[in-house]
Amino acid sequence: MAKNDSLTIDQQKLVQAWERTLPTVLNASDRAKVKADDADPKTIWVNIVTAGRSDYSFDFKCTYVDSREVQVEFIDVEVEGRNADERTTTIQTLIDDYVRHIHECAQQLHAMTSK
């Protein structure tokens, strides 16, 4: 028996909820922007800019698999407006941290996304 556990929240409300919640799970000095994917109502785009001298900018694509779980895909990292080598240990560690924070944010929004 298949269960219907799909995302039913309005995408703009979802983006607003992510914009409110994501900063609470990130480091206080990091900045995040969230925007809707115009082609897919179950997908949002997350941009996280690290604070400090590194000034990295990370882009992630987050697609809701169901009302609770997001599939997070790392897209790109830039430093000072230029593509950065994502294979460095520092950047890999940051990517892993941000993916974990994005999943944490999705968990915090579960009450809203499962209605």
Side-chain angles (χ1 to χ4, degrees):
M1 187 164 135
K3 67 177 187 174
N4 185 7
D5 188 20
S6 62
L7 188 67
T8 57
I9 186 172
D10 172 73
Q11 191 180 32
Q12 211 44 52
K13 286 185 177 143
L14 183 65
V15 167
Q16 291 167 354
W18 272 83
E19 285 178 333
R20 279 192 312 273
T21 309
L22 190 55
T24 68
V25 298
L26 294 175
N27 297 324
S29 53
D30 291 340
R31 297 184 318 272
K33 287 185 226 155
V34 181
K35 65 181 188 176
D37 184 306
D38 295 333
D40 183 358
K42 290 181 170 54
T43 299
I44 58 172
W45 292 86
V46 175
N47 171 262
I48 301 171
V49 177
T50 60
R53 285 179 263 156
S54 60
D55 200 30
Y56 291 118
S57 174
F58 293 86
D59 291 314
F60 297 92
K61 179 180 179 183
C62 305
T63 304
Y64 273 85
V65 177
D66 58 31
S67 68
R68 289 183 309 277
E69 185 185 347
V70 289
Q71 176 185 344
V72 181
E73 183 181 346
F74 166 72
I75 301 299
D76 188 29
V77 60
E78 294 181 348
V79 61
E80 297 172 358
R82 294 184 310 276
N83 280 346
D85 182 358
E86 64 196 54
R87 296 168 297 189
T88 68
T89 302
T90 301
I91 290 179
Q92 283 298 313
T93 300
L94 287 167
I95 291 168
D96 291 346
D97 285 348
Y98 289 138
V99 167
R100 190 171 57 253
H101 291 316
I102 289 168
H103 282 290
E104 192 177 331
C105 183
Q107 285 297 315
Q108 288 191 18
L109 293 174
H110 178 244
M112 172 186 244
T113 58
S114 64
K115 290 181 180 177

